[in-house]
Amino acid sequence: MRPRGWVGLAAFAGPSVVTLRARRTHREVRSSAMRRWLPAALAGTILLTGCSSSTDGDDLPTRDPATAAAAPAETARPAGEVMGLANPLGRLLVEAGTGQIAALEASSETSTILFLIDQASFARAGQGGVPDPSFRTLSLPAHGASLAQGKPGELLIPAPERIIRVDVATGTVTELPVDGDARSVQRRDDGTLLVGTADGKVRTLSPEGKVVRTVSGLASADALAVTADQVTVLDRRQTSVTEIELGDDHLGLALRAGDGATNMISDKFGRIIVTDTAGGELLVYSAGPLVLRQRFPVNSSPYALAYDQRSDTVWVTCTQSNEVVGFDLSTGIPVEVGRFPTVRQPNSVTIDQRTGDMFVGSAADSGLQRIRADDRKRGH
């Protein structure tokens, strides 16, 4: 019997994969897929589709995006150190150039607060203490949907009608106008930006901000992962992942991503890692072509993701158990290598790639947690 983490290519000969032929229209592809995808056992699920950039995704079968499960009260002391904060945290990122921790407030869809935290604040604040002046609060011009690394020393924050750029050293905020409600952004090495929007469009912007290309056809473009010559798009409303060849003006292969996918990252090997929060699984894909390689039960509502490139470990937060769990993916099936109690409602996690230290953010006013790499090795 094959282990569950192993998935052969033959598994995708059926309707899970939708490819396009030039002579078939978008409506024909979607109708054909619908006939295959709606047996009684799959009633209420969604379909995957590929389509040209001229077709919008407004009429696609969708579901309400999955969300993190509500967490119970903490039953174990969080591992490592915790900095007390009065604000719930929604997104975290350690900025690569400065080591500063960036955190978006998660209190509402209208929140415009960004925190910039020096890691030395942990030592000076102490367990549950109050941050010192190296903890900065910035007011953004719009609600940020996520955080991404820009050029060294810069954060990129997608927001309605713009990408917000933050100079971490100075706190200077500038805006790059975009058409639509931006939900995701990734910067390529040549300075071009890939921007995903709430209406399912993926735009390529030149370093100067000029729109070079627009690919449409998804319901939403909630997360982007760039690997080699491909960009993979997570669509939460269709719970799918879709591949786009960089330079192409149309969607490529698309695969269903569980029952309710929420977050996606890539690693140094070009793997695409997705949390199926509704289905309680970790999904691992390869790109070029897009293939599901590993599938593993995590349970406890897996949600946020971070990758530690020093140890080649993927860390997943589980909000139903207030834990963060680490998996080694090198053997062909995820192998659990660590499990630690976290702050309540751990909706965000990030890794400082210079040190391997991990940070977990509470979306329930429990603060910001640091679990050092050395402590994880010792199992503390």
Side-chain angles (χ1 to χ4, degrees):
M1 179 179 293
R2 295 167 178 165
R4 189 165 186 192
W6 187 94
V7 178
L9 292 175
F12 301 99
S16 302
V17 180
V18 178
T19 57
L20 294 185
R21 299 178 181 176
R23 66 177 180 269
R24 299 183 69 187
T25 67
H26 169 66
R27 184 174 300 277
E28 289 170 340
V29 170
R30 188 168 65 245
S31 297
S32 175
M34 185 174 295
R35 287 193 296 270
R36 295 193 304 265
W37 271 69
L38 284 182
L42 293 182
T45 61
I46 64 166
L47 314 179
L48 303 188
T49 181
C51 56
S52 72
S53 60
S54 62
T55 305
D56 291 329
D58 294 339
D59 59 346
L60 297 175
T62 60
R63 58 156 287 164
D64 290 336
T67 58
E74 295 173 13
T75 58
R77 181 184 179 276
E81 309 159 272
V82 177
M83 177 188 295
L85 296 174
N87 305 72
L89 303 180
R91 296 284 179 171
L92 286 178
L93 180 71
V94 174
E95 196 283 309
T98 63
Q100 293 271 308
I101 306 164
L104 283 172
E105 186 184 37
S107 59
S108 71
E109 289 296 318
T110 60
S111 174
T112 58
I113 297 176
L114 173 71
F115 303 106
L116 295 175
I117 304 168
D118 191 318
Q119 294 190 34
S121 296
F122 277 90
R124 291 191 285 265
Q127 179 74 21
V130 178
D132 66 8
S134 61
F135 176 98
R136 292 178 289 164
T137 301
L138 299 182
S139 180
L140 302 176
H143 171 73
S146 59
L147 289 166
Q149 179 69 48
K151 62 186 179 182
E154 180 187 62
L155 296 171
L156 299 176
I157 305 174
E161 308 296 334
R162 73 205 81 190
I163 298 296
I164 302 170
R165 299 178 185 260
V166 178
D167 185 304
V168 174
T170 65
T172 302
V173 176
T174 56
E175 300 178 50
L176 179 66
V178 297
D179 185 12
D181 183 359
R183 295 291 178 87
S184 54
V185 63
Q186 288 289 324
R187 181 183 185 272
R188 299 186 64 208
D189 291 340
D190 61 3
T192 60
L193 297 182
L194 296 165
V195 179
T197 59
D199 59 356
K201 294 181 174 63
V202 178
R203 292 187 172 86
T204 303
L205 275 59
S206 71
E208 297 75 32
K210 180 181 178 181
V211 177
V212 176
R213 187 174 296 103
T214 299
V215 179
S216 61
L218 298 171
S220 58
D222 302 292
L224 304 173
V226 180
T227 53
D229 296 324
Q230 293 83 30
V231 56
T232 303
V233 189
L234 172 65
D235 183 336
R236 290 178 183 149
R237 294 177 59 205
Q238 292 197 96
T239 190
S240 68
V241 288
T242 301
E243 187 175 78
I244 303 173
E245 293 283 342
L246 293 172
D248 282 358
D249 61 356
H250 59 271
L251 300 176
L253 292 176
L255 294 176
R256 185 184 177 100
D259 298 324
T262 53
N263 288 294
M264 177 179 70
I265 60 172
S266 61
D267 66 13
K268 64 182 181 182
F269 298 107
R271 294 176 297 207
I272 308 297
I273 304 150
V274 176
T275 44
D276 174 16
T277 300
E281 292 188 316
L282 185 67
L283 308 175
V284 183
Y285 301 83
S286 60
L290 187 66
V291 175
L292 178 62
R293 297 293 185 180
Q294 300 179 25
R295 180 182 177 190
F296 192 75
V298 178
N299 301 318
S300 299
S301 189
Y303 188 68
L305 286 165
Y307 174 68
D308 182 357
Q309 63 184 12
R310 292 159 54 97
S311 63
D312 189 25
T313 305
V314 173
W315 291 92
V316 186
T317 66
C318 299
T319 61
Q320 283 183 334
S321 58
N322 292 323
E323 291 179 307
V324 62
V325 186
F327 294 96
D328 177 358
L329 304 181
S330 64
T331 64
I333 182 171
V335 177
E336 184 176 322
V337 295
R339 183 179 292 262
F340 299 91
T342 66
V343 289
R344 181 169 173 260
Q345 199 66 53
N347 282 17
S348 54
V349 62
T350 188
I351 299 284
D352 185 343
Q353 301 297 349
R354 305 171 306 169
T355 64
D357 289 354
M358 178 166 58
F359 299 86
V360 181
S362 167
D365 304 336
S366 292
L368 178 64
Q369 176 182 10
R370 175 169 65 181
I371 307 175
R372 295 180 183 272
D374 289 343
D375 290 339
R376 298 203 306 272
K377 291 177 183 178
R378 290 192 294 265
H380 291 203

